[in-house]
Amino acid sequence: MLFSVRFIFLRTNDPMFRRDFLLTTLAVAAPAAAFAQDINWRLSCDVLVVGAGGAGLAAAVRASELDAEVILIEQNVHLGGNTLISGGFLGVVDPIRQAPLGITDSEERHFQDIWNNGDKIADPTLVRKLVHEAPRMLSWLEAKGVKFQDEVIDIYGPHFPRCHKPIFPNGTAYVRALTGALMQRKVNVLTETKAIELVQDDNGRVIGIKATSKQDEFFIRARKGVILAAGGFGANLKTVAAFDPRLKGLPSNCSSGSTGDMLFAARKIGASAVDLTEIQCLPGPISNKGIRVRFHNDVRRFVFVNDEGKRFVDERARRDELKEKILVQRNKSCYCIIDNDGLETLDLLVRRDAIRAAETGDAVKAPSLEELAFALNIPAESLIKTIEERNAEIASDKPQSRRFPIQKAPFWAARVGMRIHYTMGGLQINEKAQCLKEGKPIPGLFAAGEITGGIHGRNRIGGNGLADAFTFGMIAAENLVSES
């Protein structure tokens, strides 16, 4: 078989160029286009979706609804990816739920929240597409059987109460509903199957992939094209540290499949990428050995304090600000504290983990603030003063985002540090979700979800990861099916 080699000259004095070199290394490209017709295709379909997280599930279901023959591949045993282990919050403008709560929202407000909190470096066309299509996506999910609570909340990092929470915990409601739709439509789903190369024809159109399973390597033909939904690179800690050395050694919240392999594969055929150095961290256990305690979902209910028992940041601040403030604390960590009323508002899995964590020492439960301070080895007077000041501050909150006092015993706390959570950079796409090469669409190649960039800028607001995944998964499927 013949191969084409693309040479890249590295300017070693340019640190940004060195980082980008990670994704454009000297590489053997996909099989030479002239020989694409000689490939022995084991499987064929109209639309091939790579990755079965939220974006991939949405893309596969939507393409099937439009009467395309679909194959969905997933490298892990289970479907769901990061969506399955997410908090499940979905940020969408929704007058039906917001208006009865006295919340006035709009697409423009949602756009400005994303645009301003991402420091205005995102692609405004993509942001507007997201906020405009997200309500349609919400209705589509509800039609699939996803049921949401009536309340919408302001989780940490979104700066507005528009986050929907499914009745089922974490992201299970989405994965269950979309997986059910796949089964109903008899979509061909291949688990433990990993895409390793994109294949193009002699016109540069992506016509399929080379894949590997436990048994062997083989090729899948996609008559219309391929949708990449394989996630970001948050579990690839070496790549993360190369782009942001301060994050070296931090654990990751991401699923094991978030390695960036298909991002690399798309780069090898010339796909453009944006914002690769923008990596989001969230609070969580300071190692991968402890139980994942999540007291910090609802910004109205918790407080962060340092080892002196003092509050050092407003919990409603931008997620990148939270990251910066926690990283300079001793051991790059702090305590997250809630009361029992706050715990009772969390979903069943989070409450179960809290109880387990209190037994293993990964969390602390105490009948009073004094005893909580003793157990955490922090000054009791300082902690009590911090909680009193925070509770007094609540009186000035706006009604639509009013916080709740921390006063109902028992009190709960967990030590949290920064964990890699989301890579905001990725493949450059247009509003049709087509992958771009030097500003022009690559025929037959679409992408959705965390593998893409250009939507969140420097800081992703809470609830927008899932909104992005589901919305652009739908958009990718609709445009690919209608393209040819």
Side-chain angles (χ1 to χ4, degrees):
M1 181 179 289
L2 298 180
F3 297 94
S4 58
V5 180
R6 184 158 53 90
F7 293 95
I8 301 163
F9 297 93
L10 177 62
R11 296 171 294 172
T12 56
N13 63 335
D14 184 342
M16 292 297 291
F17 194 93
R18 285 201 302 272
R19 290 171 180 171
D20 195 50
F21 181 70
L22 287 167
L23 299 180
T24 52
T25 50
L26 291 172
V28 179
F35 292 84
Q37 66 270 27
D38 297 329
I39 290 175
N40 180 21
W41 303 102
R42 179 177 298 180
L43 298 169
S44 65
C45 58
D46 295 323
V47 175
L48 174 62
V49 181
V50 180
L57 290 171
V61 171
R62 188 67 184 124
S64 179
E65 288 178 339
L66 297 172
D67 296 324
E69 183 185 358
V70 179
I71 293 178
L72 171 64
I73 69 170
E74 166 58 46
Q75 65 176 313
N76 292 317
V77 177
H78 304 292
L79 307 185
N82 281 337
T83 296
L84 186 62
I85 60 176
S86 71
F89 299 102
L90 187 67
V92 184
V93 175
D94 181 8
I96 293 175
R97 288 183 176 84
Q98 290 174 306
L101 300 172
I103 301 167
T104 301
D105 201 2
S106 66
E107 287 183 18
E108 182 61 26
R109 172 65 194 255
H110 197 184
F111 170 83
Q112 291 297 335
D113 284 348
I114 298 171
W115 179 243
N116 292 323
N117 283 284
D119 288 340
K120 303 180 180 180
I121 70 166
D123 181 340
T125 303
L126 294 180
V127 179
R128 290 202 180 277
K129 187 70 172 179
L130 170 61
V131 301
H132 180 68
E133 296 289 350
R136 179 170 71 92
M137 173 272 297
L138 176 64
S139 297
W140 183 75
L141 285 175
E142 289 181 301
K144 298 287 175 290
V146 180
K147 296 185 182 301
F148 294 92
Q149 298 175 14
D150 291 333
E151 184 182 28
V152 292
I153 66 171
D154 180 5
I155 67 170
Y156 66 110
H159 314 292
F160 201 77
R162 67 170 66 90
C163 285
H164 297 64
K165 184 72 170 68
I167 291 175
F168 289 111
N170 298 342
T172 55
Y174 307 115
V175 176
R176 178 183 297 185
L178 294 174
T179 300
L182 289 176
M183 295 175 64
Q184 221 173 22
R185 304 196 65 84
K186 299 181 180 179
V187 172
N188 189 2
V189 179
L190 306 178
T191 57
E192 297 183 276
T193 302
K194 180 181 176 65
I196 55 177
E197 276 182 16
L198 293 166
V199 181
Q200 295 173 284
D201 67 13
D202 55 359
N203 294 314
R205 182 179 188 84
V206 173
I207 59 172
I209 65 162
K210 183 179 181 180
T212 182
S213 66
K214 285 184 176 180
Q215 289 74 36
D216 58 0
E217 295 180 350
F218 59 96
F219 291 89
I220 304 175
R221 173 71 189 267
R223 291 183 289 270
K224 289 183 176 290
V226 174
I227 299 174
L228 298 180
F233 56 90
N236 188 335
L237 298 184
K238 288 185 178 179
T239 300
V240 166
F243 282 122
D244 190 342
R246 298 173 306 160
L247 308 183
K248 183 177 180 180
L250 293 186
S252 175
N253 280 341
C254 303
S255 69
S256 60
S258 299
T259 57
D261 290 350
M262 289 314 295
L263 175 59
F264 280 73
R267 291 288 277 160
K268 286 180 182 178
I269 67 167
S272 301
V274 294
D275 302 337
L276 294 172
T277 60
E278 307 302 336
I279 300 168
Q280 186 170 81
C281 296
L282 291 188
I286 57 179
S287 77
N288 283 325
K289 297 179 181 179
I291 294 173
R292 188 183 181 195
V293 183
R294 285 180 286 176
F295 295 149
H296 53 272
N297 281 339
D298 188 343
V299 73
R300 302 171 301 173
R301 297 282 188 175
F302 70 88
V303 62
F304 285 134
V305 301
N306 60 20
D307 287 346
E308 297 175 352
K310 296 179 180 179
R311 189 175 176 217
F312 57 90
V313 66
D314 189 328
E315 296 78 18
R316 298 165 295 181
R318 286 172 37 152
R319 287 181 167 186
D320 54 344
E321 182 180 343
L322 293 176
K323 177 178 78 171
E324 299 298 332
K325 292 293 181 68
I326 291 178
L327 284 177
V328 298
Q329 299 301 316
R330 188 170 72 86
N331 296 324
K332 298 181 180 181
S333 62
C334 67
Y335 291 106
C336 180
I337 297 174
I338 63 171
D339 69 355
N340 206 60
D341 282 344
L343 182 74
E344 291 299 318
T345 66
L346 303 177
D347 68 45
L348 290 173
L349 290 182
V350 176
R351 280 183 275 166
R352 180 204 66 183
D353 288 344
I355 294 169
R356 292 173 56 222
E359 294 172 351
T360 62
D362 293 304
V364 173
K365 175 185 177 183
S368 68
L369 288 174
E370 292 90 345
E371 290 171 277
L372 185 71
F374 179 80
L376 300 179
N377 194 30
I378 59 178
E381 288 185 8
S382 178
L383 177 61
I384 293 170
K385 182 181 179 182
T386 292
I387 299 301
E388 289 176 345
E389 290 177 346
R390 184 263 184 196
N391 289 347
E393 183 185 287
I394 291 173
S396 63
D397 286 352
K398 295 178 180 179
Q400 64 186 17
S401 58
R402 189 175 301 282
R403 290 168 293 169
F404 295 88
I406 296 174
Q407 61 185 14
K408 179 68 177 295
F411 299 93
W412 300 76
R415 191 164 192 93
V416 296
M418 285 289 101
R419 297 176 69 91
I420 311 304
H421 180 68
Y422 193 94
T423 49
M424 291 167 289
L427 298 175
Q428 186 178 27
I429 59 172
N430 60 18
E431 63 177 354
K432 292 184 177 182
Q434 294 171 300
C435 292
L436 304 180
K437 177 181 179 179
E438 298 177 352
K440 296 181 180 180
I442 299 174
L445 187 61
F446 290 66
E450 196 178 349
I451 197 171
T452 67
I455 296 173
H456 307 291
R458 292 198 175 96
N459 175 60
R460 180 177 70 76
I461 64 176
N464 269 14
L466 291 180
D468 171 10
F470 296 134
T471 301
F472 276 96
M474 284 179 51
I475 290 170
E478 291 165 352
N479 286 296
L480 178 50
V481 171
S482 65
E483 185 186 56
S484 54

